[in-house]
């Protein structure tokens, strides 16, 4: 595993890998693990947007809708240009989730020295992500997001993924960049499969 990660790290350079999946699929969790493994930094659109919403005291995504594209560009894309990230590879958690944003994201990443070299889809069924949420609700998990406490809002987030993000993934697939990973496993198994498939992708 260490040799495979070393190969991925050399191939990636200061490039980036974009991780997608349904809410609750483990994008940020796997993104953090992969970033640590390759000596990179995690950029999560969800974390960036929620922090900005808190800063300006506005809840633009509370209904489960994706943030408007113009605001996404204003809030998220400047992170690619940050001086403190220049020397690092980036692991992206769903950067550019609305169809039509992906080309601008790809161009921005390329221009700033972080070209997107692969996109990973953590595959998990809607039934399984709803089951995960219900278990967290029963446990009253303190880390549960406010908008995940409302099942109707959560289901709207799933619908947003189906309608707006699935076409983004088709675009990455057409570019030959999409890697499918079974997200319905333990965290350790998901990470191992992701590394193995990234290694195979690098070698192909």
């Amino acid at each position: 595993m260490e040799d495979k990660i070393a190969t991925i790290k050399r191939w990636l350079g200061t490039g980036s890998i974009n991780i997608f999946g349904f809410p609750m699929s483990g994008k940020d969790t796997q993104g953090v693990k992969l970033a640590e493994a390759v000596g990179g930094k995690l950029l999560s659109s969800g974390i960036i947007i929620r922090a900005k919403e808190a800063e300006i005291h506005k809840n633009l995504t509370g209904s489960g809708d994706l943030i408007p594209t113009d605001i996404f560009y204003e809030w998220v894309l400047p992170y690619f240009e940050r001086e403190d990230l220049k020397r690092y590879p980036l692991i992206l958690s769903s950067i550019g989730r609305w169809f039509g944003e992906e080309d601008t994201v790809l161009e921005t990443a390329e221009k700033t020295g972080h070209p997107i070299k692969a996109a990973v889809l953590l595959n998990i069924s809607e039934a399984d992500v709803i089951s995960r949420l219900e278990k967290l609700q029963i446990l009253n998990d303190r880390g549960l997001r406010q908008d995940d406490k409302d099942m109707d809002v959560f289901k709207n987030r799933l619908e947003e993924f189906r309608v707006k993000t699935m076409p983004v993934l088709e675009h990455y697939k057409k570019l030959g960049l999409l890697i499918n990973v079974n997200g319905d496993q333990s965290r350790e198994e998901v990470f191992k499969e992701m590394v193995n498939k990234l290694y195979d992708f690098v070698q192909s």
Side-chain angles (χ1 to χ4, degrees):
M1 179 68 76
E2 289 182 4
D3 288 344
K4 289 182 178 181
I5 290 173
T7 297
I8 293 167
K9 183 176 180 178
R10 286 192 298 271
W11 161 80
L12 187 56
T14 60
S16 53
I17 296 169
N18 210 350
I19 302 177
F20 292 91
F22 275 133
M24 306 292 297
S25 63
K27 299 182 295 295
D28 286 353
T29 298
Q30 296 301 328
V32 167
K33 287 174 68 70
L34 186 57
E36 289 176 349
V38 300
K41 303 291 184 180
L42 175 72
L43 284 189
S44 166
S45 60
I47 292 173
I48 293 169
I49 289 165
R50 289 192 294 275
K52 189 67 176 180
E53 286 178 320
E55 179 187 326
I56 65 173
H57 305 292
K58 286 187 178 180
N59 186 1
L60 303 180
T61 57
S63 64
D65 291 342
L66 292 182
I67 198 164
T69 293
D70 58 337
I71 299 176
F72 162 74
Y73 289 160
E74 180 185 346
W75 288 2
V76 178
L77 291 190
Y79 277 78
F80 282 99
E81 301 178 13
R82 285 177 51 151
E83 284 293 326
D84 58 328
L85 299 180
K86 253 185 181 175
R87 298 181 295 106
Y88 296 95
L90 301 180
I91 305 302
L92 315 175
S93 178
S94 288
I95 302 290
R97 288 184 281 183
W98 196 329
F99 183 57
E101 296 174 348
E102 64 279 2
D103 282 333
T104 299
V105 170
L106 284 160
E107 290 166 7
T108 301
E110 181 79 34
K111 183 177 67 176
T112 57
H114 301 291
I116 296 176
K117 295 192 170 183
V120 172
L121 172 60
L122 301 180
N123 273 310
I124 183 169
S125 71
E126 291 188 38
D128 284 335
V129 295
I130 289 174
S131 175
R132 288 184 181 185
L133 178 63
E134 288 173 339
K135 288 176 183 176
L136 288 175
Q137 289 175 333
I138 291 170
L139 294 171
N140 193 27
D141 191 301
R142 291 183 179 181
L144 200 60
R145 284 175 44 172
Q146 187 63 36
D147 55 356
D148 287 342
K149 295 178 181 179
D150 185 318
M151 185 58 75
D152 288 335
V153 171
F154 186 76
K155 288 181 177 178
N156 188 47
R157 292 176 64 203
L158 299 182
E159 177 67 11
E160 289 282 275
F161 183 89
R162 283 194 300 269
V163 173
K164 297 175 180 176
T165 307
M166 287 303 294
V168 174
L169 298 171
E170 281 300 314
H171 187 73
Y172 279 110
K173 183 178 179 180
K174 288 177 182 176
L175 293 175
L177 298 177
L178 187 64
I179 298 169
N180 286 280
V181 171
N182 177 12
D184 189 22
Q185 309 177 79
S186 71
R187 292 177 178 179
E188 293 73 20
E189 290 169 330
V190 171
F191 182 71
K192 183 177 179 180
E193 181 176 328
M194 182 168 60
V195 168
N196 285 334
K197 289 197 170 181
L198 278 167
Y199 178 77
D200 291 342
F201 181 81
V202 172
Q203 299 295 97
S204 64

